Structures are given as C-alpha cells and as structure tokens.
Coordinates of all heavy atoms in Angstrom, one line a residue:
A1 N -35.4 43.7 -211.2 CA -36.0 43.4 -209.9 C -36.5 44.7 -209.2 O -35.8 45.7 -209.4 CB -35.0 42.7 -209.0
R2 N -37.5 44.6 -208.5 CA -38.1 45.8 -207.8 C -37.9 45.6 -206.3 O -38.0 44.5 -205.8 CB -39.5 45.9 -208.1 CG -39.8 46.3 -209.6 CD -41.2 46.6 -209.8 NE -41.6 47.7 -209.0 CZ -42.8 48.3 -209.1 NH1 -43.7 47.8 -209.9 NH2 -43.1 49.3 -208.4
M3 N -37.7 46.7 -205.6 CA -37.6 46.7 -204.2 C -38.7 47.5 -203.7 O -38.9 48.7 -204.1 CB -36.3 47.2 -203.7 CG -36.1 47.1 -202.2 SD -34.7 47.9 -201.5 CE -33.4 47.4 -202.6
K4 N -39.5 47.0 -202.7 CA -40.5 47.8 -202.1 C -40.2 48.0 -200.6 O -39.9 47.0 -199.9 CB -41.8 47.1 -202.2 CG -43.0 47.8 -201.7 CD -44.3 47.1 -202.0 CE -45.5 47.9 -201.5 NZ -46.7 47.2 -201.7
I5 N -40.1 49.2 -200.1 CA -39.8 49.5 -198.8 C -41.0 50.1 -198.1 O -41.6 51.0 -198.6 CB -38.6 50.5 -198.7 CG1 -37.4 49.8 -199.3 CG2 -38.3 50.8 -197.2 CD1 -36.2 50.8 -199.4
R6 N -41.4 49.6 -196.9 CA -42.5 50.1 -196.2 C -42.3 49.9 -194.7 O -41.5 49.0 -194.3 CB -43.8 49.5 -196.6 CG -43.8 48.0 -196.4 CD -45.1 47.3 -197.0 NE -44.9 45.9 -197.1 CZ -45.7 45.0 -196.6 NH1 -46.8 45.4 -196.0 NH2 -45.4 43.8 -196.7
G7 N -42.9 50.8 -194.0 CA -42.7 50.7 -192.5 C -43.9 49.9 -191.9 O -45.0 50.2 -192.1
V8 N -43.5 48.9 -191.1 CA -44.5 48.1 -190.4 C -43.9 47.8 -189.0 O -42.7 47.8 -188.9 CB -44.9 46.8 -191.1 CG1 -45.6 47.1 -192.4 CG2 -43.7 45.9 -191.3
R9 N -44.7 47.4 -188.1 CA -44.2 46.9 -186.8 C -43.7 45.5 -187.1 O -44.2 44.8 -187.9 CB -45.3 46.8 -185.8 CG -45.9 48.2 -185.4 CD -46.3 48.2 -184.0 NE -46.8 49.5 -183.6 CZ -46.0 50.4 -182.9 NH1 -44.8 50.1 -182.6 NH2 -46.5 51.5 -182.6
P10 N -42.6 45.1 -186.5 CA -42.0 43.8 -186.8 C -42.9 42.7 -186.7 O -42.8 41.8 -187.6 CB -40.9 43.7 -185.7 CG -40.5 45.1 -185.4 CD -41.8 45.9 -185.5
H11 N -43.8 42.6 -185.8 CA -44.7 41.5 -185.7 C -45.8 41.6 -186.7 O -46.6 40.6 -186.9 CB -45.3 41.4 -184.3 CG -46.0 42.6 -183.8 ND1 -45.4 43.7 -183.4 CD2 -47.4 42.9 -183.8 CE1 -46.3 44.6 -183.1 NE2 -47.5 44.1 -183.3
G12 N -45.9 42.7 -187.5 CA -47.0 42.8 -188.5 C -46.5 42.5 -189.9 O -47.3 42.6 -190.8
A13 N -45.3 42.2 -190.0 CA -44.8 41.9 -191.4 C -45.3 40.5 -191.9 O -45.3 39.6 -191.1 CB -43.2 41.8 -191.4
K14 N -45.7 40.5 -193.1 CA -46.2 39.2 -193.7 C -45.6 39.0 -195.1 O -45.7 39.9 -195.9 CB -47.7 39.2 -193.7 CG -48.3 39.2 -192.3 CD -49.8 39.1 -192.5 CE -50.6 39.0 -191.2 NZ -50.1 39.2 -190.0
G15 N -45.0 37.9 -195.3 CA -44.5 37.6 -196.7 C -43.4 38.4 -197.2 O -43.4 38.7 -198.4
V16 N -42.5 38.8 -196.4 CA -41.4 39.7 -196.8 C -40.1 38.8 -196.9 O -39.9 37.9 -196.2 CB -41.1 40.9 -195.9 CG1 -42.4 41.8 -196.0 CG2 -40.8 40.5 -194.5
D17 N -39.2 39.2 -197.8 CA -37.9 38.5 -197.9 C -36.9 39.0 -196.8 O -36.2 38.1 -196.3 CB -37.3 38.8 -199.3 CG -38.1 38.2 -200.4 OD1 -38.7 37.2 -200.2 OD2 -38.2 38.9 -201.5
L18 N -36.9 40.2 -196.5 CA -36.0 40.7 -195.5 C -36.7 41.8 -194.6 O -37.3 42.7 -195.1 CB -34.8 41.4 -196.2 CG -33.8 42.0 -195.2 CD1 -33.0 40.9 -194.4 CD2 -32.8 42.9 -196.0
L19 N -36.6 41.6 -193.3 CA -37.2 42.5 -192.4 C -36.1 43.2 -191.6 O -35.3 42.6 -190.9 CB -38.1 41.7 -191.4 CG -38.8 42.5 -190.3 CD1 -39.8 43.5 -190.9 CD2 -39.5 41.5 -189.4
G20 N -36.0 44.5 -191.7 CA -35.1 45.3 -191.0 C -35.6 45.7 -189.7 O -36.7 46.2 -189.6
V21 N -34.8 45.5 -188.6 CA -35.3 45.8 -187.2 C -34.2 46.7 -186.6 O -33.1 46.2 -186.5 CB -35.5 44.5 -186.4 CG1 -36.0 44.8 -185.0 CG2 -36.6 43.6 -187.1
G22 N -34.6 47.8 -186.1 CA -33.7 48.7 -185.4 C -33.6 48.3 -183.9 O -34.6 47.9 -183.3
A23 N -32.4 48.5 -183.3 CA -32.2 48.2 -181.9 C -31.2 49.2 -181.4 O -30.2 49.5 -182.0 CB -31.7 46.8 -181.7
F24 N -31.5 49.8 -180.2 CA -30.6 50.7 -179.6 C -29.5 50.0 -178.9 O -29.6 48.8 -178.5 CB -31.3 51.6 -178.6 CG -32.3 52.6 -179.2 CD1 -33.6 52.4 -179.2 CD2 -31.8 53.7 -179.8 CE1 -34.5 53.3 -179.8 CE2 -32.6 54.7 -180.4 CZ -34.0 54.4 -180.4
E25 N -28.4 50.7 -178.6 CA -27.2 50.1 -177.9 C -27.6 49.8 -176.5 O -28.3 50.5 -175.8 CB -26.1 51.1 -178.0 CG -24.7 50.6 -177.6 CD -23.6 51.6 -177.8 OE1 -23.8 52.6 -178.6 OE2 -22.6 51.4 -177.3
G26 N -27.0 48.6 -176.0 CA -27.2 48.2 -174.6 C -28.4 47.4 -174.4 O -29.2 47.1 -175.3
S27 N -28.6 46.9 -173.2 CA -29.7 46.0 -172.9 C -31.0 46.8 -172.9 O -31.0 48.0 -172.6 CB -29.5 45.3 -171.6 OG -29.4 46.3 -170.6
G28 N -32.1 46.2 -173.3 CA -33.4 46.8 -173.3 C -33.5 47.8 -174.5 O -34.3 48.7 -174.5
G29 N -32.7 47.6 -175.5 CA -32.7 48.5 -176.7 C -33.7 48.2 -177.8 O -33.7 48.8 -178.8
W30 N -34.6 47.2 -177.5 CA -35.5 46.8 -178.6 C -36.6 47.9 -178.8 O -37.0 48.6 -177.9 CB -36.3 45.6 -178.1 CG -35.4 44.4 -177.9 CD1 -35.1 43.8 -176.7 CD2 -34.8 43.6 -178.9 NE1 -34.3 42.7 -177.0 CE2 -34.0 42.6 -178.3 CE3 -34.7 43.7 -180.3 CZ2 -33.3 41.6 -179.0 CZ3 -33.9 42.8 -181.0 CH2 -33.3 41.8 -180.4
L31 N -37.0 48.0 -180.1 CA -38.1 48.8 -180.5 C -39.4 48.1 -180.2 O -39.4 46.8 -180.1 CB -38.0 49.2 -181.9 CG -36.8 50.1 -182.3 CD1 -36.8 50.3 -183.8 CD2 -36.8 51.4 -181.6
D32 N -40.5 48.8 -180.2 CA -41.8 48.2 -179.9 C -42.0 47.0 -180.9 O -41.8 47.2 -182.1 CB -42.9 49.2 -180.1 CG -42.9 50.2 -179.0 OD1 -42.3 50.0 -178.0 OD2 -43.6 51.3 -179.2
G33 N -42.5 45.9 -180.5 CA -42.8 44.8 -181.3 C -41.7 43.8 -181.6 O -41.9 42.7 -182.0
S34 N -40.4 44.3 -181.3 CA -39.3 43.4 -181.5 C -39.2 42.2 -180.6 O -38.7 41.2 -181.0 CB -38.0 44.2 -181.4 OG -38.0 45.2 -182.4
L35 N -39.7 42.3 -179.4 CA -39.7 41.2 -178.5 C -40.6 40.1 -179.0 O -40.2 38.9 -178.9 CB -40.1 41.6 -177.1 CG -39.1 42.5 -176.4 CD1 -39.7 42.9 -175.0 CD2 -37.8 41.8 -176.2
T36 N -41.7 40.4 -179.6 CA -42.5 39.4 -180.2 C -41.8 38.7 -181.4 O -41.8 37.5 -181.5 CB -43.8 40.0 -180.8 OG1 -44.5 40.6 -179.7 CG2 -44.7 39.0 -181.5
L37 N -41.0 39.5 -182.2 CA -40.2 38.9 -183.2 C -39.1 38.0 -182.7 O -38.8 37.0 -183.3 CB -39.6 40.0 -184.1 CG -38.9 39.6 -185.3 CD1 -39.8 38.9 -186.3 CD2 -38.3 40.8 -186.0
D38 N -38.6 38.4 -181.6 CA -37.5 37.6 -180.9 C -38.1 36.2 -180.5 O -37.5 35.2 -180.7 CB -36.9 38.3 -179.7 CG -35.7 37.6 -179.2 OD1 -34.9 37.1 -180.0 OD2 -35.6 37.5 -177.9
K39 N -39.3 36.2 -180.0 CA -39.9 34.9 -179.6 C -40.2 34.1 -180.8 O -40.0 32.9 -180.8 CB -41.2 35.2 -178.8 CG -41.0 35.8 -177.5 CD -42.3 36.1 -176.8 CE -42.0 36.7 -175.4 NZ -43.3 37.2 -174.8
V40 N -40.7 34.7 -181.9 CA -41.0 33.9 -183.1 C -39.7 33.3 -183.7 O -39.7 32.2 -184.3 CB -41.7 34.8 -184.1 CG1 -41.8 34.2 -185.5 CG2 -43.1 35.2 -183.6
S41 N -38.6 34.0 -183.6 CA -37.3 33.5 -184.1 C -36.6 32.6 -183.2 O -35.4 32.3 -183.3 CB -36.4 34.7 -184.5 OG -35.9 35.3 -183.3
K42 N -37.3 32.1 -182.2 CA -36.8 31.2 -181.1 C -35.6 31.9 -180.4 O -34.6 31.3 -180.1 CB -36.4 29.9 -181.8 CG -37.6 29.2 -182.4 CD -37.2 27.9 -183.0 CE -38.4 27.3 -183.6 NZ -38.2 26.1 -184.4
E43 N -35.8 33.2 -180.1 CA -34.8 34.0 -179.3 C -33.4 34.1 -180.0 O -32.5 34.4 -179.3 CB -34.7 33.5 -177.9 CG -36.1 33.5 -177.2 CD -36.1 33.0 -175.8 OE1 -35.0 32.4 -175.3 OE2 -37.0 33.2 -175.1
K44 N -33.4 34.0 -181.3 CA -32.1 34.1 -182.0 C -31.6 35.6 -181.9 O -30.4 35.8 -182.0 CB -32.2 33.6 -183.4 CG -32.3 32.1 -183.4 CD -32.4 31.6 -184.8 CE -32.5 30.1 -184.8 NZ -32.6 29.5 -186.1
L45 N -32.5 36.5 -181.9 CA -32.1 37.9 -181.8 C -31.4 38.3 -180.5 O -30.4 38.8 -180.4 CB -33.3 38.9 -182.1 CG -34.0 38.7 -183.4 CD1 -35.2 39.7 -183.5 CD2 -33.1 39.0 -184.6
S46 N -32.1 37.9 -179.4 CA -31.5 38.1 -178.1 C -30.2 37.3 -177.9 O -29.3 37.8 -177.2 CB -32.5 37.9 -177.0 OG -33.0 36.5 -177.0
K47 N -30.1 36.2 -178.5 CA -28.9 35.4 -178.4 C -27.7 36.1 -179.1 O -26.6 36.0 -178.6 CB -29.1 34.0 -178.9 CG -30.0 33.1 -178.0 CD -30.2 31.7 -178.6 CE -31.2 31.0 -177.7 NZ -31.6 29.7 -178.3
A48 N -28.0 36.7 -180.2 CA -27.0 37.4 -181.0 C -26.4 38.6 -180.1 O -25.2 38.9 -180.1 CB -27.5 38.0 -182.3
I49 N -27.3 39.3 -179.4 CA -26.9 40.4 -178.5 C -26.1 39.8 -177.3 O -25.1 40.3 -177.0 CB -28.1 41.2 -178.1 CG1 -28.7 41.9 -179.3 CG2 -27.7 42.2 -177.0 CD1 -30.0 42.7 -179.1
A50 N -26.7 38.8 -176.7 CA -26.0 38.2 -175.5 C -24.6 37.6 -175.9 O -23.7 37.7 -175.1 CB -26.9 37.1 -174.9
G51 N -24.5 37.1 -177.1 CA -23.2 36.5 -177.5 C -22.2 37.5 -178.1 O -21.2 37.2 -178.7
K52 N -22.6 38.8 -178.0 CA -21.7 39.9 -178.4 C -21.6 40.0 -179.9 O -20.6 40.6 -180.5 CB -20.3 39.9 -177.8 CG -20.4 39.9 -176.3 CD -20.9 41.1 -175.7 CE -20.8 41.1 -174.1 NZ -21.6 42.0 -173.5
K53 N -22.5 39.3 -180.7 CA -22.4 39.4 -182.1 C -23.0 40.7 -182.6 O -22.8 41.1 -183.8 CB -23.1 38.2 -182.7 CG -22.4 36.9 -182.4 CD -23.2 35.7 -183.0 CE -22.6 34.4 -182.6 NZ -23.4 33.3 -183.0
F54 N -23.8 41.3 -181.8 CA -24.5 42.6 -182.1 C -24.7 43.4 -180.9 O -25.1 42.9 -179.9 CB -25.9 42.3 -182.7 CG -26.6 43.5 -183.1 CD1 -26.4 44.1 -184.3 CD2 -27.6 44.0 -182.3 CE1 -27.1 45.3 -184.7 CE2 -28.3 45.2 -182.6 CZ -28.0 45.8 -183.8
S55 N -24.2 44.6 -180.9 CA -24.3 45.5 -179.7 C -25.3 46.6 -179.8 O -25.6 47.3 -178.9 CB -22.9 46.0 -179.4 OG -22.5 46.9 -180.4
G56 N -25.7 46.9 -181.1 CA -26.6 48.1 -181.3 C -25.9 49.4 -181.5 O -26.6 50.4 -181.6
K57 N -24.6 49.4 -181.7 CA -23.9 50.6 -182.0 C -24.4 51.2 -183.3 O -24.8 50.4 -184.2 CB -22.4 50.4 -182.1 CG -21.8 50.1 -180.8 CD -20.3 49.9 -180.9 CE -19.7 49.5 -179.5 NZ -18.3 49.2 -179.6
A58 N -24.4 52.5 -183.5 CA -24.9 53.2 -184.7 C -24.3 52.6 -185.9 O -23.1 52.5 -186.0 CB -24.7 54.7 -184.6
G59 N -25.1 52.2 -186.9 CA -24.6 51.7 -188.1 C -24.2 50.2 -188.2 O -24.0 49.7 -189.3
E60 N -24.2 49.6 -187.0 CA -23.8 48.1 -187.0 C -25.0 47.3 -187.5 O -26.1 47.7 -187.4 CB -23.5 47.8 -185.5 CG -23.2 46.3 -185.3 CD -23.0 46.0 -183.9 OE1 -23.5 46.7 -183.0 OE2 -22.4 44.9 -183.6
T61 N -24.7 46.2 -188.2 CA -25.7 45.4 -188.7 C -25.4 43.9 -188.4 O -24.3 43.5 -188.2 CB -25.8 45.5 -190.3 OG1 -24.6 45.1 -190.9 CG2 -26.3 46.9 -190.7
F62 N -26.5 43.1 -188.3 CA -26.3 41.7 -188.1 C -27.4 41.0 -188.9 O -28.6 41.2 -188.7 CB -26.5 41.4 -186.6 CG -26.3 39.9 -186.3 CD1 -25.1 39.3 -186.3 CD2 -27.4 39.1 -186.0 CE1 -24.9 38.0 -186.0 CE2 -27.3 37.8 -185.7 CZ -26.0 37.2 -185.7
F63 N -27.0 40.1 -189.8 CA -28.0 39.4 -190.7 C -28.3 38.1 -190.1 O -27.4 37.3 -189.7 CB -27.3 39.2 -192.1 CG -28.2 38.5 -193.1 CD1 -29.3 39.2 -193.7 CD2 -28.0 37.2 -193.4 CE1 -30.1 38.5 -194.6 CE2 -28.8 36.5 -194.3 CZ -29.9 37.2 -194.9
L64 N -29.5 37.8 -190.0 CA -30.0 36.5 -189.4 C -30.9 35.8 -190.4 O -32.1 36.2 -190.6 CB -30.7 36.8 -188.1 CG -31.1 35.6 -187.3 CD1 -29.9 34.8 -186.8 CD2 -31.9 36.1 -186.0
P65 N -30.5 34.8 -191.1 CA -31.3 34.1 -192.0 C -32.2 33.1 -191.3 O -31.8 31.9 -191.0 CB -30.3 33.4 -193.0 CG -29.1 33.2 -192.1 CD -29.1 34.3 -191.2
V66 N -33.4 33.5 -190.9 CA -34.3 32.6 -190.2 C -35.6 32.6 -191.0 O -35.9 33.5 -191.7 CB -34.6 33.1 -188.8 CG1 -33.3 33.1 -188.0 CG2 -35.2 34.5 -188.7
V67 N -36.4 31.6 -190.7 CA -37.7 31.5 -191.3 C -38.7 31.8 -190.2 O -38.8 31.0 -189.3 CB -38.0 30.2 -192.0 CG1 -39.4 30.1 -192.5 CG2 -36.9 29.9 -193.1
T68 N -39.4 32.9 -190.3 CA -40.5 33.2 -189.4 C -41.8 33.2 -190.2 O -41.7 33.2 -191.4 CB -40.2 34.6 -188.7 OG1 -40.4 35.6 -189.7 CG2 -38.9 34.7 -188.1
P69 N -42.9 33.3 -189.5 CA -44.1 33.3 -190.2 C -44.2 34.5 -191.2 O -44.9 34.5 -192.2 CB -45.2 33.4 -189.1 CG -44.6 32.7 -188.0 CD -43.1 33.1 -188.1
G70 N -43.5 35.6 -190.9 CA -43.6 36.8 -191.7 C -42.4 37.2 -192.5 O -42.6 38.0 -193.5
A71 N -41.3 36.6 -192.3 CA -40.1 37.0 -193.0 C -39.1 35.9 -193.2 O -39.0 35.0 -192.4 CB -39.3 38.2 -192.3
A72 N -38.4 35.9 -194.3 CA -37.4 34.9 -194.6 C -36.1 35.2 -193.9 O -35.3 34.3 -193.7 CB -37.2 34.8 -196.1
A73 N -35.8 36.4 -193.7 CA -34.5 36.8 -193.0 C -34.8 38.1 -192.2 O -35.7 38.9 -192.5 CB -33.4 37.0 -194.0
I74 N -33.9 38.4 -191.2 CA -34.0 39.5 -190.4 C -32.6 40.3 -190.5 O -31.6 39.6 -190.4 CB -34.3 39.2 -189.0 CG1 -35.7 38.5 -188.9 CG2 -34.3 40.4 -188.0 CD1 -36.0 37.8 -187.6
L75 N -32.7 41.6 -190.6 CA -31.5 42.4 -190.5 C -31.6 43.3 -189.3 O -32.4 44.2 -189.3 CB -31.2 43.2 -191.8 CG -30.0 44.1 -191.8 CD1 -28.7 43.2 -191.9 CD2 -30.0 45.0 -193.0
L76 N -30.8 43.1 -188.3 CA -30.7 44.0 -187.1 C -29.9 45.2 -187.5 O -28.8 45.0 -188.1 CB -30.1 43.3 -185.9 CG -30.9 42.2 -185.2 CD1 -30.1 41.7 -184.1 CD2 -32.2 42.8 -184.7
V77 N -30.3 46.4 -187.2 CA -29.6 47.6 -187.5 C -29.4 48.4 -186.2 O -30.4 48.7 -185.5 CB -30.4 48.5 -188.6 CG1 -29.6 49.8 -188.9 CG2 -30.6 47.7 -189.8
G78 N -28.2 48.7 -185.9 CA -27.8 49.4 -184.7 C -28.2 50.9 -184.8 O -27.9 51.5 -185.8
L79 N -28.9 51.4 -183.8 CA -29.4 52.8 -183.8 C -28.5 53.7 -182.9 O -28.8 54.8 -182.7 CB -30.8 52.9 -183.4 CG -31.8 52.1 -184.3 CD1 -33.2 52.1 -183.7 CD2 -31.8 52.6 -185.7
G80 N -27.6 53.1 -182.2 CA -26.7 53.9 -181.3 C -27.4 54.0 -179.9 O -28.3 53.3 -179.6
K81 N -26.8 54.9 -179.1 CA -27.4 55.1 -177.7 C -28.7 55.7 -177.8 O -29.0 56.7 -178.5 CB -26.4 55.9 -176.9 CG -25.1 55.2 -176.7 CD -24.2 56.0 -175.8 CE -22.9 55.2 -175.6 NZ -22.0 55.8 -174.7
R82 N -29.6 55.3 -176.9 CA -30.9 55.9 -176.8 C -30.8 57.1 -175.9 O -30.2 57.1 -174.8 CB -31.9 54.9 -176.1 CG -33.3 55.4 -176.0 CD -34.2 54.4 -175.2 NE -34.3 53.1 -175.8 CZ -35.5 52.6 -176.2 NH1 -36.5 53.3 -176.2 NH2 -35.5 51.4 -176.7
D83 N -31.3 58.2 -176.5 CA -31.2 59.5 -175.7 C -32.4 59.8 -175.0 O -33.5 59.6 -175.4 CB -30.8 60.6 -176.7 CG -29.4 60.5 -177.2 OD1 -28.5 60.0 -176.5 OD2 -29.2 60.9 -178.3

C-alpha cells in the first residue's frame, strides 16, 4: 500500500481517505478553511470540541469517521496554544 501526503486547505480536499485538520487549543482555534469543513460535516467537529471530546492540546487527536464530499474520515490534531 502507498501513502500520499500533501498539503491542501481542508475545503479543497477531494477524494481522500483521511483528512488531517489542525486546531489550536481553546475556542476559535480553527485553521483557515476548517469552518467550511465543519459545516460540511454537519458541525460534528465543533460538537466534538463543545462536548470536551477534543480540546486542541498539543498532540491530542480525535478521529471522526464521516463522509464528506472530499474525505471519508477526518482526524483532528491538536496544535496547542496559539501564540
């Protein structure tokens, strides 16, 4: 099996198995384009944060198996505090 890694804006991903999305700790920690992805996933990303399943701490991950137009699953990756 081969793995291909490339950088794209979250809303620009098309036909990928897993989309990794970084988020900073605390509210308003989304990277550019992630809010669009949240809308496409029926707000499952923001619900994970609101439900304390994901806080954005450095190294924290949260796997979300959803079907979006661009990805089969999403992996939130905590980036820690925004400086």
Side-chain angles (χ1 to χ4, degrees):
R2 292 184 64 174
M3 182 186 318
K4 184 175 182 181
I5 299 173
R6 60 189 164 125
V8 296
R9 295 212 179 263
H11 60 279
K14 292 186 181 3
V16 298
D17 294 323
L18 179 68
L19 179 62
V21 179
F24 290 102
E25 192 172 342
S27 61
W30 297 110
L31 296 177
D32 292 343
S34 297
L35 290 177
T36 301
L37 186 62
D38 188 43
K39 289 179 185 174
V40 170
S41 72
K42 299 180 182 171
E43 300 180 349
K44 290 182 181 178
L45 300 179
S46 57
K47 288 176 184 174
I49 291 172
K52 307 291 184 198
K53 295 177 183 174
F54 180 82
S55 67
K57 291 182 182 175
E60 179 183 18
T61 59
F62 182 76
F63 181 76
L64 187 62
V66 298
V67 178
T68 69
I74 298 168
L75 180 67
L76 289 177
V77 179
L79 302 175
K81 294 184 180 184
R82 186 187 295 246
D83 292 326

